[in-house]
Amino acid sequence: MEQDFSPLAESIKRYRGKPGILIPLLQEVQQIMGYLSIDTMAHLSRELDIPAAEIYGVATFYSMFKLKPQGKHIIRICKGTACHVSDADGIKDALKSSLGLEGEEDTTKDMLFTLMEVACLGCCSLAPVIMIDDTTYGKLSPDGIPKILERYAYEEGK
Amino acid sequence: MSEIKVKVGMASCGVAAGASEVYDVLTRYQKESGGFDLGSTACIGMCFEEPIVEFSGGSLGSVSLGAVDPAKIEEHLKDYLDNKLPDANIIQADKHNGKHNELLAGQTRIVLRNCGVIDPKSIEDYEAHGGYTALKKALAMDPDEIIDEVKASGLRGRGGAGFSTGLKWSFAARAKGKKKYVICNADEGDPGAFMDRSTLEGDPHNVIEGMIIGAYAMGADEGYIYCRAEYPMAIRHLLIAIEKAEEKGYLGKKILGTDFSFELHVKEGAGAFVCGEETALMQSIEGKRGMPTIRPPFPAESGLWGCPTNINNVETWANITYIINQGSVEFRKIGTDKSPGTKVFALAGKIAGSGLIEVPMGIELRDIIYKVGGGMKTDKPFKAVQMGGPSGGCIPASLLDTIVDYDSINATGAIMGSGGMVVMDSGTCMVDVARFFLHFTQSESCGKCTFCRIGTRRMLEILTRITEGKGEPEDIDKLEDLAANIIKGSLCGLGQTAPNPVLTTLRYFRDEYLAHIEAKRCPAGVCNSLLRYEVIPDKCVGCTACARKCPVSCISGKVKEVHYIDQEECIRCGACYSACKFGAINKG
């Protein structure tokens, strides 16, 4: 299916021709489209006259840019030092088993959740920590994970 | 305006701990009954006590309460007004013995002086605490005079390397070019470090004022604050602060009626640790992949868009207003001769008082951990403190009398770093810690230099093998050999320091590596594949709880008799260990 790029027209117009715009532009485009598809990047390349390789290079370099569709809620697992020594791995295992994710999978089949690891959320005194969208949950134990996820599933009526 | 003031700590960690609920309850209560002013502040540093609320203006003086329950805050406030607040909740007080008074007593606050005191969203509050007086003083000085003052203060870059700030400024000031930039590096990426986040959330104007003074001294008219996108509150507070400073004429064209103009932007990072390296950071501001470039030319000659550029980190900039206002002589009275001033640390890990502290240079590590940090969190003994994040190293108990200054910390093999300090106890495996950091640097290597790109991967593979019980006797030599080559063969700080966590743990905890490799044991009981679960016969009462929980049924024994775990069949899941109520399963 062809993607509709018309929602991007305004952003492209605002950034066109200015120096150093690629990262903020891609951030904005990702906000609008949800993720950066190859087609989206090709469209930006044509519109802004920036080589597609340069756009792809930047998009793959920074962890914030997503090249695949993301779940409705983003779960960030903090992998900072304090969380690591407070069993962040156990939290990750609990999340994966609650969400039914296997191996390298990061997004649930119903597209409700995407799981990702982040370097450090800077709330080390609350370790181990996860962040779901903009809400931080601290002092977690693997047993408490299903209860946290329930709230989000409940909102969806599931 | 009421005499009675109530302030809620609303920095990221406070909000994560439930400060918003407390604030909501207080807002409702204020509407109903009135009689007090309600405000918010940022981080006082005692993150382990969040959410924190401060009452002041009553006859009890200023009193801070910790771990506040939203359901009880109304009652606490009534008690405060009736002068009968119970001691149990008081963590810090002026006229009273708060339980953490001594934690703050060991600190000297320059950078954090306003954090947790003022409302970071109010420029008037900052001005009321001496804000923008340093700028007024500086604008009446000759630019060279300012640089000389910063040089004389002996301030060294707080981002980790410890280069003289005044000298760095003089290079940028001398560089030829019509257009110059100043940059604040707020891409705080070290896991376990949150000093810059708290500083920016709690006192953004202090950093901005430092940058305006620096720009004036070096002749720059434009600046950037490059901040991690993972810090949304810091970015929000910075944007508010910049807008307010522009309204008041501290930023923008013809600042305070002089000919000096300065424009400041906030640039959000997009998630790449290597962008904390100054040349990579500038590439990123230019919208490119954040890969370091070869120095020379140094940024002072050719930095952002080829113009002379000076880049300092948040904490360095945050020291400037103090130096200008109090003078270099006063600044040098704090700290040591070669490392004057203070250092902010983020204490985390197995320590009771985790949070943000600011201590004078020259303090012993032991005092940081046992006095300012309140000692260990649990009964397990202290094992090591990790300083400097993935570029740093682990300092063992035997070196706890090391003093905090750049040179003494370097001598241990660790580095001062930006200020992450993660405390580890006997339950932490040092090989696992080394592997953790290598995993981090390996995935964050930008890939430009071969040794950093591939060498760190080979080191990580060896470390993983060791933690899985597949280590070989020659592995330690291989690690040391690779480490030496990665240090030599990498362009930037990321690669040059990536082997440090491995080298320091090898230096101080070599026997732990040997236990993994030769005896196939993990003495700390962390590395899963090396664990053995065994029944302690004296403690086992034969309740059968473990046998019933074992998913592979490898525990045998009759009721009321000592049980036995078949090591061949055991999958080391730990179910028996959690099931046993008598502490009769040994993990190790």
Side-chain angles (χ1 to χ4, degrees), chain B residues 30-241:
Chain B
Q30 192 193 27
K31 272 190 197 136
E32 286 165 17
S33 71
F36 64 95
D37 282 349
L38 178 62
S40 66
T41 184
C43 177
I44 186 78
M46 289 187 275
C47 305
F48 61 106
E49 285 284 10
E50 296 285 2
I52 296 175
V53 176
E54 184 193 336
F55 299 142
S56 60
S59 46
L60 287 178
S62 151
V63 172
S64 294
L65 305 182
V68 172
D69 179 353
K72 295 207 176 127
I73 185 67
E74 244 183 77
E75 192 185 316
H76 291 325
L77 181 55
K78 282 179 196 153
D79 287 347
Y80 176 76
L81 297 171
D82 293 344
N83 300 328
K84 57 167 200 191
L85 198 63
D87 285 0
N89 305 91
I90 299 177
I91 54 170
Q92 203 246 331
D94 281 350
K95 301 181 185 173
H96 196 86
N97 238 350
K99 59 179 170 180
H100 300 316
N101 272 11
E102 78 280 9
L103 302 189
L104 283 172
Q107 303 190 35
T108 304
R109 294 190 158 217
I110 292 178
V111 171
L112 302 179
R113 63 183 182 272
N114 290 331
C115 288
V117 178
I118 63 166
D119 176 357
K121 296 196 283 290
S122 159
I123 193 168
E124 289 78 14
D125 213 359
Y126 178 67
E127 286 172 323
H129 286 78
Y132 290 106
T133 50
L135 176 64
K136 287 171 192 155
K137 191 174 170 187
L139 289 177
M141 288 163 79
D142 191 54
D144 282 342
E145 231 180 302
I146 298 175
I147 293 175
D148 287 343
E149 195 65 27
V150 175
K151 257 192 212 165
S153 76
L155 176 66
R156 297 171 68 171
R158 297 291 193 249
F163 190 75
S164 158
T165 304
L167 212 54
K168 202 169 175 177
W169 284 23
S170 68
F171 296 152
R174 270 206 314 257
K176 288 195 175 64
K178 269 193 182 155
K179 178 94 185 163
K180 290 181 189 175
Y181 291 96
V182 293
I183 298 176
C184 172
N185 184 349
D187 191 42
E188 175 176 65
D190 282 7
F194 50 93
M195 300 77 52
D196 297 348
R197 172 179 68 71
S198 292
T199 309
L200 292 173
E201 284 178 2
D203 196 10
H205 284 288
N206 187 32
V207 177
I208 293 171
E209 190 181 351
M211 288 186 77
I212 306 171
I213 294 170
Y216 170 71
M218 288 175 268
D221 66 354
E222 200 170 349
Y224 285 92
I225 301 175
Y226 186 93
C227 186
R228 272 184 93 188
E230 286 88 342
Y231 291 169
M233 187 184 285
I235 292 172
R236 215 159 47 236
H237 287 187
L238 277 171
L239 292 173
I240 295 171

Side-chain angles (χ1 to χ4, degrees), chain B residues 218-335:
Chain B
M218 288 175 268
D221 66 354
E222 200 170 349
Y224 285 92
I225 301 175
Y226 186 93
C227 186
R228 272 184 93 188
E230 286 88 342
Y231 291 169
M233 187 184 285
I235 292 172
R236 215 159 47 236
H237 287 187
L238 277 171
L239 292 173
I240 295 171
I242 289 175
E243 197 189 315
K244 295 275 167 69
E246 282 170 351
E247 280 170 18
K248 291 236 173 189
Y250 297 127
L251 266 175
K253 296 257 179 279
K254 299 201 177 291
I255 291 171
L256 297 176
T258 63
D259 282 337
F260 166 59
S261 300
F262 181 59
E263 196 185 344
L264 187 57
H265 319 274
V266 175
K267 203 89 178 173
E268 259 180 68
F273 176 69
V274 71
C275 289
E277 200 278 340
E278 56 181 20
T279 59
L281 187 151
M282 289 184 290
Q283 293 284 308
S284 181
I285 293 182
E286 291 180 19
K288 301 178 196 154
R289 287 164 72 94
M291 290 161 93
T293 54
I294 295 172
R295 295 178 297 182
F298 285 91
E301 301 153 42
S302 171
L304 191 60
W305 284 299
C307 301
T309 304
N310 178 73
I311 174 162
N312 288 123
N313 95 321
V314 172
E315 195 183 331
T316 314
W317 287 118
N319 270 293
I320 299 301
T321 53
Y322 183 90
I323 292 171
I324 296 299
N325 263 334
Q326 312 296 324
S328 58
V329 177
E330 204 56 35
F331 184 76
R332 288 199 82 104
K333 285 184 186 161
I334 308 162

